[in-house]
Amino acid sequence: MLSAAASPSSAGAEVGADDGGQPAGNGERNARPLLPEGHREALQSVLRHQLELLASPVLRWEGDVWSGLFMALVVQIPPRDTPPHGQSDGGQPRADDEPAPAWRSELTLSLATLGEVRVRLALTGQRLDLELTATEETARRLRAGGQRLRERLTPLMEGGVTLTIHEAGADD
């Protein structure tokens, strides 16, 4: 249990509302939990995720988006030491054949009507590469609407959009 006992380093760490912030007769403040049990567990979880993100620039999340719709999301952030888009390491313009760093993401949805659909995307500068993987029936439906999706995304991406649709198990 986290608690704050008075010491020179924690003198202002915790003051109870009922003691008016006054030291106890022995010069120490009343020892109290810093956070209730449920809050501590939630805070530890958030802190752990933040430390993991600092160590490895990959963000992962899994859970129910809403009842009956499970989602797993992974976002891979380009390394911080990568120069900005259009520049090389020395601040000079990047050569045209040298690709910009890519933001990569993978999203997996489990849908009652379509089954599992996996979306992999890479955003490199102003170019978007999408790769969709689903069951045979769902892949057929995605291919039927693929041109419409590409047409809606293309005006947003100056570098273009590629869309690839796979059947699960075929290339996995």
Side-chain angles (χ1 to χ4, degrees):
M1 178 173 188
L2 283 172
S3 64
S7 69
S9 63
S10 66
E14 179 71 21
V15 176
D18 61 344
D19 65 8
Q22 299 301 316
N26 61 4
E28 294 185 6
R29 298 188 188 268
N30 294 336
R32 298 250 169 100
L34 290 174
L35 293 171
E37 184 70 30
H39 290 103
R40 283 185 283 148
E41 292 173 9
L43 183 60
Q44 287 173 345
S45 175
V46 169
L47 182 59
R48 183 181 70 246
H49 285 27
Q50 289 177 341
L51 291 173
E52 288 173 358
L53 188 56
L54 287 172
S56 172
V58 175
L59 175 67
R60 300 175 199 278
W61 182 84
E62 291 184 353
D64 286 329
V65 179
W66 58 78
S67 182
L69 180 58
F70 178 80
M71 182 176 82
L73 174 68
V74 176
V75 179
Q76 183 178 1
I77 303 167
R80 287 181 179 248
D81 58 352
T82 305
H85 177 65
Q87 291 185 357
S88 66
D89 287 331
Q92 301 300 317
R94 186 191 319 261
D96 288 340
D97 60 344
E98 191 177 342
W103 283 73
R104 299 186 184 282
S105 184
E106 185 171 324
L107 170 74
T108 303
L109 294 168
S110 295
L111 304 162
T113 56
L114 299 176
E116 186 172 288
V117 178
R118 186 175 66 219
V119 180
R120 290 183 181 164
L121 67 89
L123 180 61
T124 308
Q126 286 292 312
R127 176 172 187 75
L128 177 64
D129 297 309
L130 280 171
E131 182 179 322
L132 308 176
T133 305
T135 63
E136 181 180 352
E137 174 61 29
T138 301
R140 185 176 24 237
R141 291 172 68 181
L142 290 170
R143 283 188 193 101
Q147 183 60 33
R148 193 170 107 208
L149 176 61
R150 192 178 294 111
E151 288 170 359
R152 293 182 79 178
L153 291 172
T154 299
L156 304 172
M157 305 303 301
E158 292 176 12
V161 174
T162 60
L163 175 62
T164 308
I165 300 171
H166 302 283
E167 292 176 15
D171 294 318
D172 289 345

